[in-house]
């Protein structure tokens, strides 16, 4: 049985229904990547798994027990989440933001410990923001800020990590740095679920690929099994050719040139 599992979810916002009868077992120990067009419900699903959105029907379970029955702190010790557009409190420094990842580990009387300090330092280094530790989050560039948020999620030291578009705002080298970090965490035994838009990055890094369309999981499996030209055309409306990534031998999506461009 999966540690984190969703069954029969109806997800939405007031009258707007995003997904109906959606079920998804987070595969233990895998690096799952969710792909799908804008507005298909990727973030909505992640929010339900992290308990920041209450399902209108169905249940999310953690270790077989409804997620809703846990204390917030106990959820936060097990499941870390990087939202798509996190909002930092006013005038907080990077170190303080990352330190907030340690809150779930602190009891009412327990003071800041050596373990907390170590977790924060390790997260700052892993995401390359150690030099920015004393800067205010509000004064950072988009990419620097994104890495500070990833550091916070890392400092939480959860066995499960949900990352909603962790590579947005990052330049190409930093995108791969974050993806390599995800791969390392996966090798070290963590379970990750990340939403990505770059299909070639998804194919390279996912050990399990999930494809969503209009609130429905339409395909899942290894990238080699899932990422075919008919699927990309059906889900994204993009005619393409799939070639072999010369570096990793995972599928690589090459969009077809537009007919007008070909004619020129
Ligand atoms: N807070 C909200 N209130 C009302 N509707 C929302 C809210 N958040 C999202 N939606 C709607 O729910 C649907 C699914 O949104 P969601 O954010 O899950 O999409 P997504 O797949 O993550 O898209 P993207 O790739 O653009 O991030 C969309 O139609 C969106 O407009
Ligand atoms: Mg989203």
């Amino acid at each position: 049985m999966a540690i984190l599992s969703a069954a029969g979810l109806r997800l939405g916002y007031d009258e707007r229904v995003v997904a109906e009868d959606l079920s998804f077992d987070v595969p233990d120990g895998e690096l799952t990547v969710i792909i799908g067009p804008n507005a298909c419900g990727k973030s909505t699903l992640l929010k339900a798994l992290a308990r920041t959105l209450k399902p209108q029907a169905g249940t999310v379970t953690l270790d077989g027990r409804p997620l809703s029955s846990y204390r917030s702190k106990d959820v936060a010790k097990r499941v870390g989440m990087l939202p798509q557009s996190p909002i930092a409190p006013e005038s907080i420094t990077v170190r303080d933001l990352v330190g907030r990842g340690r809150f779930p580990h602190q009891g009412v009387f327990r003071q800041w410990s050596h373990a907390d300090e170590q977790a924060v330092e390790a997260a700052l280094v892993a995401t390359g923001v150690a030099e920015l530790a004393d800067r205010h989050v509000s004064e950072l560039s988009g990419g620097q800020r994104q890495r500070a948020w990833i550091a916070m999620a890392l400092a939480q030291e959860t066995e499960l990590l949900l990352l909603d578009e962790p590579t947005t705002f990052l330049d190409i080298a930093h995108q791969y740095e974050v993806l390599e970090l995800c791969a390392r965490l996966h090798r070290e035994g963590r379970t990750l679920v990340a939403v990505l838009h770059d299909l070639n990055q998804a194919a390279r890094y996912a050990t399990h690929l999930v494809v969503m369309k209009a609130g429905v999981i339409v395909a899942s499996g290894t990238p080699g099994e899932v990422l075919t030209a008919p699927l990309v055309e059906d889900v994204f409306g993009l005619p393409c050719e799939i070639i072999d990534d010369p570096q990793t031998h995972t599928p690589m999506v090459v969009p077809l040139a537009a007919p007008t461009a070909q004619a020129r």
Side-chain angles (χ1 to χ4, degrees), residues 37-44 46-47 84-85 164-165 195 197:
N38 289 138
C40 73
K42 304 178 299 297
S43 297
T44 302
L46 238 52
K47 284 188 255 179
Q84 189 168 354
S85 315
D164 199 349
E165 300 195 26
V195 173
H197 275 299

Side-chain angles (χ1 to χ4, degrees), residues 144-176:
Q144 290 173 326
R145 196 174 307 144
Q146 180 75 351
R147 286 186 283 136
W149 279 107
I150 295 169
M152 189 190 94
L154 274 185
Q156 215 171 313
E157 291 186 327
T158 53
E159 62 192 284
L160 276 143
L161 201 50
L162 312 176
L163 303 167
D164 199 349
E165 300 195 26
T167 52
T168 34
F169 303 118
L170 302 184
D171 65 54
I172 187 93
H174 282 117
Q175 287 180 25
Y176 280 95

Side-chain angles (χ1 to χ4, degrees), residues 85-169:
S85 315
I87 300 162
E90 282 293 304
S91 63
I92 188 173
T93 64
V94 171
R95 189 186 301 280
D96 288 344
L97 179 73
V98 178
R100 294 200 171 205
R102 301 302 300 167
F103 281 9
H105 298 275
Q106 288 160 352
V108 184
F109 301 109
R110 221 195 85 193
Q111 295 297 304
W112 188 253
S113 70
H114 184 60
D116 293 327
E117 196 61 49
Q118 275 189 327
V120 168
E121 287 309 316
L124 289 167
V125 170
T127 52
V129 291
E131 296 83 65
L132 307 171
D134 298 318
R135 299 261 307 267
H136 282 113
V137 175
S138 58
E139 292 164 7
L140 301 180
S141 79
Q144 290 173 326
R145 196 174 307 144
Q146 180 75 351
R147 286 186 283 136
W149 279 107
I150 295 169
M152 189 190 94
L154 274 185
Q156 215 171 313
E157 291 186 327
T158 53
E159 62 192 284
L160 276 143
L161 201 50
L162 312 176
L163 303 167
D164 199 349
E165 300 195 26
T167 52
T168 34
F169 303 118

Side-chain angles (χ1 to χ4, degrees), residues 27 30 33 44 67 81 88 92 106 111 122 140 153 165-166 170 210 212 232 254:
E30 302 282 344
V33 175
T44 302
L67 194 59
M81 162 87 159
I92 188 173
Q106 288 160 352
Q111 295 297 304
L140 301 180
E165 300 195 26
L170 302 184
V210 171
M212 273 186 92
V232 175
V254 182

